[in-house]
Amino acid sequence: GTRFRPLSFEVPKPLFPVAGVPMVQHHIEACAKVPGMKEILLMGFYQPHEALSRFLVSAQQEFKIPIRYLQEYAALGTGGGIYHFRDQILSGGAEAFFVLNADVCSEFPLQEMLEFRQQHGDAHSFVILGTTANRTQALNYGCIVANADTQEVQHYVEKPSTFVSEIINCGIYLFTPAIFQHIGEVFQRNQQELVLEESSNGWQRAEVIRLEQDVFTALAGSGKLYVYKTDGFWSQIKSAGSAIYASRLYLNQYSKSHPERLAQNKAGGPIIQGNVYIHPTASISSTAVLGPNVSIGEGVTVGAGVRVRESIVLHGASLHDHTCVLNTIVGWDSTIGRWARVEGTPSDPNPNDPYAKIDSETLFRDGRLTPSITILGCSVTIPAEVVILNSIVLPHKELSRSYKNQIIL
Amino acid sequence: AGPLALARDLLAEGGEPFFVLNSDVICEFPFAALAHFHRQHGGEGSLVVTRVEEPAKYGVVVSEADTGRICRFVEKPRVFVSNKINAGLYIFSPGILQRIQLRPTSIEKEIFPAMAQEGQLYAMELQGFWMDIGQPKDFLTGMCMYLQALRAQHPEKLHSGPGVVGNVLVDPSAKIGANCVIGPNVTIGAGVVVEDGVRIKRCTVLQGARIRSHSWLESCIVGWSCSVGQWVRMENVTVLGEDVIVNDELYLNGANVLPHKSIAESVPEPRIIM
């Protein structure tokens, strides 16, 4: 998709750092913790990329579990990829496997899903992780109606136009090899339909399979599909604004799961408010004030009297003295000059509603750019003393004045 | 002009000419030259005129080139008549008091035209800068002009030192922190505290105000006893009345804030805060 531009110009979205580590590393950490996890397969349509190769090497070393990237030959949809690579998935003799969408942020209650399946289903049951949304926002997701006692999925609709259920699909599943039978049936049906159409790339289009619309909808009511409801934190990460929100959720989790990743106030160090991640190689002035919800990447320099709040500063960036950075993603190797103010508008879910989810933002509304997180692409230069407000600056731009509510090409 | 009648006895006493000044005007106040000019022509009144680029915004004066005797006034003319306007500085002989009654009176509309007809009113052209500083935007422009004149005539009165750029006037009782860059065109009043790392350009900061660290101000008027928070950005003729508090990390763009307000949210587009 293109909703993560301009940040996705530099790295595949699953590698974008959220709370200081690549988005998909949170998934890998959760998987590696599950006893009996044999292997992790990353599946995607991204071309080979140096960052990806480096990540695979370091992740395998750190988590001591085989991790491989399987590149799809075409974008095959949420079901087509795993179907295409079914032999790889089953090759180790796995009795079950998890499928996780990379662009979600979650507590990943994987162990709990396994236990739930034991208690409520059987060795052949499939489990969807579900969570509660409010009635309006649920329409943006896959909606699940389940039997209140057995938690069997009775009905599934992807993005309905009228209210069906507040329980939504988190994009995290527990399957057994039997799932491929069901996906295979969809594949065959697709093929039969395309034979009738006689189009030249029919074989490819038959392999595009959507788990949600094509498989879950059919499995609902069959007694094979269950939903495990979680109250733990969960969010999609579709846009830059949601990356900052997801960072906040993971940084909150760090106090229990990875306290060593949270910066502490200490003599000679910057002032830390709330949860802040600072890469060990970053260089921060002792008069800077950081947080809450700030991630500082590798080799970043933060000058005297700098204020950073609710922002992600990517590696190599440089914030000069007295700058003020709020609700912003500062791109790799960008520079912000002295006294500049770089500010965005957060799109957080309503804090008064425990089930509110972050909105999928539209870039424009009524012909005007909606106020949103400010994004500086890679290697952007912001001069001293200007204000950049609610704007998106594409990579390698060297600005010479202030901008507000604009996309700068 | 009516108020002059209130002071009639005080002004008439001694029989000497007296100056009258509009207080919302700034210039180099040529009192000696004006007094001399007035004595020379012997008429009842003299006023100072200044050249402006856009005379239609003001009252225009038409006078004889050699004597300066004023022929007539034209208020906000729609076609070009003259580029000299009434600068709001006058000197009158006490006789003028007989023309003025104790009631609201416009000196330009009611008194001067009669005096001009009688040939009693003369215009002296002002040298140097002039500005009507009734609007905040023009106030700041006038401030810049004043500081520039000060640089030419009394440069020792201006502030200098590390972090000072251009023409800057700082009251001796004001305190400026480390790593600030102040100027050009800044005036800082008595008892003002400017904390570390502040950048101020083209501003007036009035008595007792505090500007907290790392803030950035351009083209602002900060009122008496205000408190501007840390990492605040204020620009585009933001005006803070007396005792206004601006919270940390806000952005004020052309905000006009009435006295005793607290500002807790940014003002990204110009507006008035009551």
Side-chain angles (χ1 to χ4, degrees):
Chain A
T2 55
R3 270 184 286 181
F4 212 66
R5 291 180 169 179
L7 300 169
S8 52
F9 287 142
E10 305 308 319
V11 284
K13 186 166 101 169
L15 295 185
F16 184 81
V18 176
V21 305
M23 192 183 296
V24 80
Q25 184 172 321
H26 298 277
H27 301 56
I28 292 175
E29 281 180 15
C31 291
K33 276 205 299 244
V34 177
M37 187 67 68
K38 296 250 202 55
E39 181 180 42
I40 297 177
L41 301 173
L42 303 181
M43 246 165 255
F45 184 40
Y46 298 101
Q47 303 301 322
H49 194 287
E50 199 206 319
L52 184 51
S53 325
R54 266 187 285 126
F55 173 72
L56 290 173
V57 166
S58 68
Q60 289 191 90
Q61 282 176 348
E62 187 173 346
F63 300 104
K64 317 249 186 299
I65 183 170
I67 309 178
R68 274 189 295 148
Y69 175 60
L70 301 175
Q71 183 184 353
E72 294 170 23
Y73 65 91
L76 298 177
T78 49
I82 59 170
Y83 185 69
H84 181 77
F85 289 117
R86 59 194 178 284
D87 295 333
Q88 309 261 10
I89 295 171
L90 299 176
S91 68
E95 56 186 36
F97 60 99
F98 288 97
V99 172
L100 305 90
N101 279 294
D103 60 359
V104 298
C105 147
S106 170
E107 255 182 339
F108 301 112
L110 305 181
Q111 187 63 35
E112 291 89 324
M113 286 169 80
L114 283 167
E115 284 159 21
F116 167 86
R117 189 181 65 147
Q118 265 193 313
Q119 285 162 15
H120 287 258
D122 57 41
H124 306 291
S125 308
F126 313 130
V127 181
I128 305 180
L129 181 67
T131 192
T132 314
N134 67 33
R135 289 179 68 100
T136 327
Q137 289 178 322
L139 303 180
N140 300 323
Y141 299 91
C143 297
I144 303 169
V145 180
N147 179 300
D149 301 310
T150 63
Q151 306 304 327
E152 265 179 62
V153 175
Q154 294 162 326
H155 193 57
Y156 181 94
V157 186
E158 182 67 17
K159 296 189 180 57
S161 49
T162 54
F163 179 76
V164 166
S165 166
E166 316 101 342
I167 306 301
I168 60 167
N169 174 5
C170 291
I172 293 166
Y173 318 123
L174 172 56
F175 292 145
T176 67
I179 193 74
F180 294 122
Q181 245 175 279
H182 301 283
I183 305 181
E185 283 162 19
V186 175
F187 174 58
Q188 270 151 30
R189 251 186 293 138
N190 287 354
Q191 280 189 311
Q192 281 159 11
E193 281 169 21
L194 290 163
V195 160
L196 301 171
E197 277 181 47
E198 284 179 12
S199 61
S200 57
N201 64 340
W203 60 273
Q204 180 180 316
R205 286 169 52 199
E207 282 217 281
V208 175
I209 297 162
R210 305 158 303 175
L211 270 177
E212 302 80 9
Q213 292 91 324
D214 302 330
V215 180
F216 293 162
T217 314
L219 280 174
S222 68
K224 301 199 179 76
L225 187 58
Y226 288 78
V227 61
Y228 173 67
K229 286 186 269 198
T230 180
D231 280 325
F233 68 87
W234 179 87
S235 177
Q236 275 191 323
I237 311 179
K238 294 290 190 202
S239 63
S242 47
I244 293 188
Y245 178 63
S247 266
R248 185 179 328 140
L249 296 174
Y250 280 136
L251 285 172
N252 283 351
Q253 191 192 36
Y254 283 170
S255 42
K256 283 204 284 280
S257 62
H258 283 283
E260 77 286 358
R261 284 186 191 161
L262 292 177
Q264 303 297 328
N265 274 301
K266 48 182 199 259
I271 298 170
I272 306 292
Q273 297 180 350
N275 295 325
V276 173
Y277 168 83
I278 303 178
H279 193 278
T281 61
S283 167
I284 320 276
S285 160
S286 61
T287 55
V289 179
L290 307 182
N293 187 19
V294 169
S295 306
I296 305 282
E298 191 181 336
V300 164
T301 53
V302 175
V306 170
R307 181 80 183 92
V308 185
R309 196 183 81 203
E310 296 287 336
S311 296
I312 298 176
V313 182
L314 297 171
H315 81 235
S318 178
L319 310 184
H320 292 183
D321 295 352
H322 318 296
T323 54
C324 184
V325 177
L326 312 175
N327 301 300
T328 293
I329 299 184
V330 180
W332 307 261
D333 302 312
S334 285
T335 305
I336 303 184
R338 295 192 314 165
W339 279 294
R341 180 183 181 96
V342 183
E343 179 180 9
T345 300
S347 52
D348 288 359
N350 178 2
N352 293 324
D353 177 355
Y355 300 129
K357 305 284 173 272
I358 198 160
D359 263 326
S360 29
E361 307 135 35
T362 47
L363 211 48
F364 289 90
R365 189 158 289 147
D366 307 319
R368 316 182 114 239
L369 199 58
T370 349
S372 62
I373 298 292
T374 282
I375 309 171
L376 308 185
C378 110
S379 301
V380 162
T381 303
I382 306 294
E385 304 190 32
V386 299
V387 55
I388 307 294
L389 179 63
N390 300 335
S391 292
I392 301 173
V393 186
L394 263 65
H396 302 285
K397 284 296 297 180
E398 200 172 310
L399 302 187
S400 56
R401 62 172 177 89
S402 295
Y403 285 90
K404 297 182 200 167
N405 306 298
Q406 286 191 288
I407 302 176
I408 299 130
L409 284 173
Chain B
L4 291 175
L6 267 180
R8 188 189 306 276
D9 294 337
L10 295 164
L11 293 169
E13 182 185 325
E16 296 283 328
F18 56 93
F19 293 104
V20 174
L21 315 170
N22 281 357
S23 60
D24 58 358
V25 146
I26 186 86
C27 64
E28 280 170 299
F29 297 108
F31 291 122
L34 187 54
H36 177 79
F37 174 81
H38 184 71
R39 266 199 300 278
Q40 290 283 16
H41 66 69
E44 203 170 65
S46 309
L47 58 76
V48 174
V49 293
T50 183
R51 271 177 209 262
V52 291
E53 283 180 7
E54 292 187 65
K57 294 203 287 201
Y58 307 92
V60 153
V61 176
V62 181
S63 57
E64 287 172 14
D66 44 353
T67 61
R69 175 138 45 104
I70 292 179
C71 316
R72 66 183 197 283
F73 291 87
V74 187
E75 193 61 23
K76 296 187 176 47
R78 280 195 258 127
V79 291
F80 184 87
V81 170
S82 146
N83 61 3
K84 303 228 192 21
I85 61 154
N86 176 359
L89 275 68
Y90 319 120
I91 181 170
F92 300 128
S93 299
I96 198 183
L97 293 166
Q98 299 181 4
R99 300 179 188 263
I100 303 174
Q101 292 158 26
L102 185 54
R103 62 169 176 81
T105 310
S106 163
I107 203 169
E108 292 96 344
K109 293 201 173 84
E110 299 177 55
I111 312 297
F112 286 168
M115 288 170 72
Q117 271 223 314
E118 295 168 30
Q120 287 296 322
L121 198 54
Y122 288 74
M124 180 183 95
E125 191 167 337
L126 178 69
Q127 304 304 310
F129 73 95
W130 179 89
M131 195 73 202
D132 170 350
I133 53 173
Q135 299 295 326
K137 182 159 92 75
D138 297 333
F139 176 93
L140 291 172
T141 305
M143 175 195 71
C144 294
M145 292 174 164
Y146 176 88
L147 290 174
Q148 189 175 41
L150 202 57
R151 167 72 67 190
Q153 287 148 28
H154 296 285
E156 71 284 358
K157 292 196 174 152
L158 292 173
H159 201 66
S160 58
V164 178
V165 177
N167 301 332
V168 174
L169 198 55
V170 180
D171 188 276
S173 63
K175 292 196 182 4
I176 301 186
N179 302 313
C180 292
V181 180
I182 311 290
N185 295 315
V186 174
T187 59
I188 302 217
V192 166
V193 175
V194 178
E195 293 186 0
D196 296 347
V198 172
R199 179 84 183 87
I200 308 181
K201 292 195 276 197
R202 205 169 180 275
C203 293
T204 289
V205 183
L206 297 176
Q207 177 165 349
R210 172 180 285 262
I211 315 289
R212 304 204 48 219
S213 50
H214 314 298
S215 287
W216 186 93
L217 278 60
E218 181 176 39
S219 292
C220 300
I221 301 176
V222 180
W224 311 263
S225 308
C226 281
S227 176
V228 175
Q230 296 182 289
W231 290 288
V232 167
R233 181 183 175 98
M234 295 186 357
E235 59 181 345
N236 196 21
V237 196
T238 284
V239 180
L240 307 184
E242 177 178 3
D243 181 42
V244 166
I245 299 177
V246 180
N247 287 2
D248 297 342
E249 301 164 30
L250 298 183
Y251 171 50
L252 302 188
N253 172 23
N256 281 13
V257 186
L258 268 65
H260 310 293
K261 280 291 300 182
S262 272
I263 304 295
E265 280 183 357
S266 288
V267 181
E269 291 303 315
R271 66 186 178 96
I272 299 172
I273 315 281
M274 288 213 272

